[in-house]
Amino acid sequence: MNVPNHIAIILDGNGRWAKAKGMPRSYGHVKGCANLETICDDMKELGVKYLTVYAFSTENWKRSREEVEGLMKLFRSYLKKCLKIAERNKMRVRVIGDTKAFDQDIQDRIAQLEEFSKDYDELYFQIALNYGSRDEILRGVRRLAQDAASGKVKPEEIDEEIFESYLDTAGIPDPDFMIRTSGELRLSNYLLWQMAYTEFYFTDVAWPDFDKSELIKAIEKYNERDRRYGGVKGE
Ligand code: FPP
């Protein structure tokens, strides 16, 4: 089996999964969080090098105060637990997104986790928190414009490589494969620049139920695809 080098996942369906069980949405997030721990182990075992998950979007602040507070609580405990998961999997963890919006203690935990795991290289795990692709691009463009204005970058020299170095994902290869759970057929402002050539996989399975067998099923589908963008196919 040809395993994608970089898999991006939109973790969707925690709320509906919980509702179907007669439970509060927060229960779905707790189960979704637990599944995130397992999936890192599975990715490592299967030989995936990069995993990027969409855990909290720039739009998710619009959810009820109760739900947002519940998610923040979950992030706090997860970021702490993730030190062990990083050590176990020799996994480097990075957070992408505008993390300045989070409470200082959450920002500190992110910094601690990134520093702790920075030399691990067996799995590269990116967590998108307060992430939106348009926001990421705008933040990058603002910095790039400042560097152009100060003469650090010449406008005529700006190419894809230079532009990418201003994104949150600088240095991380583009995703080969994107999985979205729970039936929605949208990108929802996720890695728009980075996924120009990515293969997409949509499944009705809700995130808390997306286990290793579902992951293998998805990778098998990926293997059926002919990934020759722009070139002549079938040669
Ligand atoms: C989508 O389900 C999920 C989220 C907005 C949050 C994702 C969070 C987790 C998987 C758990 C915590 C993650 C970390 C990094 C600790 P939804 O609420 O949109 O479900 P619905 O579409 O059924 O309403």
Side-chain angles (χ1 to χ4, degrees):
M1 197 164 65
N2 172 27
V3 175
N5 184 50
H6 184 173
I7 298 184
I9 310 183
I10 300 181
L11 314 169
D12 199 9
N14 294 343
R16 279 165 286 167
W17 180 88
K19 198 173 166 217
K21 291 188 155 34
M23 300 294 282
R25 294 177 60 81
S26 57
Y27 178 69
H29 293 317
V30 169
K31 288 293 180 187
C33 186
N35 198 35
L36 200 53
E37 293 180 33
T38 322
I39 212 83
C40 283
D41 298 342
D42 297 340
M43 293 284 176
K44 169 85 188 295
E45 230 178 278
L46 290 168
V48 174
K49 282 305 273 188
Y50 294 83
L51 169 66
T52 304
V53 299
Y54 205 0
F56 194 81
S57 78
T58 48
E59 301 306 303
N60 284 151
W61 298 104
K62 292 179 189 150
R63 296 191 171 195
S64 73
R65 219 182 78 170
E66 190 193 354
E67 184 168 350
V68 171
E69 276 173 9
L71 280 167
M72 294 304 137
K73 212 172 138 197
L74 207 53
F75 294 158
R76 284 186 173 90
S77 68
Y78 177 80
L79 289 165
K80 202 169 156 206
K81 219 184 288 175
C82 202
L83 294 163
K84 284 226 159 57
I85 307 166
E87 193 173 26
R88 178 165 87 222
N89 287 316
K90 303 276 171 283
M91 170 175 103
R92 179 172 182 183
V93 188
R94 277 169 285 194
V95 172
I96 60 168
D98 189 0
T99 54
K100 290 195 295 294
F102 293 109
D103 286 350
Q104 190 57 48
D105 70 304
I106 294 185
Q107 294 186 46
D108 293 346
R109 278 175 205 227
I110 291 171
Q112 184 199 17
L113 178 58
E114 288 185 335
E115 173 62 25
F116 171 80
S117 66
K118 72 177 190 314
D119 293 325
Y120 291 141
D121 62 359
E122 291 189 22
L123 176 64
Y124 296 96
F125 181 43
Q126 290 68 238
I127 311 171
L129 289 177
N130 191 29
Y131 177 85
S133 199
R134 290 181 176 181
D135 178 68
E136 174 195 31
I137 290 170
L138 284 177
R139 284 186 285 107
V141 165
R142 272 184 222 120
R143 281 196 297 124
L144 179 54
Q146 276 159 6
D147 285 348
S150 70
K152 207 168 139 195
V153 179
K154 290 198 181 80
E156 63 276 16
E157 283 174 4
I158 297 170
D159 56 10
E160 290 190 8
E161 203 182 317
I162 290 179
F163 179 70
E164 280 169 358
S165 73
Y166 285 83
L167 296 176
D168 296 346
T169 52
I172 296 166
D174 290 342
D176 303 283
F177 194 42
M178 192 282 295
I179 298 169
R180 181 169 189 154
T181 58
S182 209
E184 309 292 346
L185 309 177
R186 293 189 288 277
L187 266 184
S188 300
N189 204 12
Y190 191 39
L191 303 172
L192 300 181
W193 169 277
Q194 296 87 340
M195 297 212 288
Y197 295 103
T198 301
E199 296 288 336
F200 294 164
Y201 177 84
F202 298 97
T203 173
D204 287 336
V205 175
W207 172 248
D209 285 335
F210 192 87
D211 59 11
K212 192 177 179 188
S213 70
E214 290 296 335
L215 176 61
I216 291 173
K217 205 154 88 184
I219 295 175
E220 280 169 358
K221 284 282 171 205
Y222 171 82
N223 274 256
E224 290 169 14
R225 310 261 175 101
D226 181 7
R227 298 201 74 222
R228 295 201 48 185
Y229 21 82
V232 177
K233 301 209 168 55
E235 277 182 4

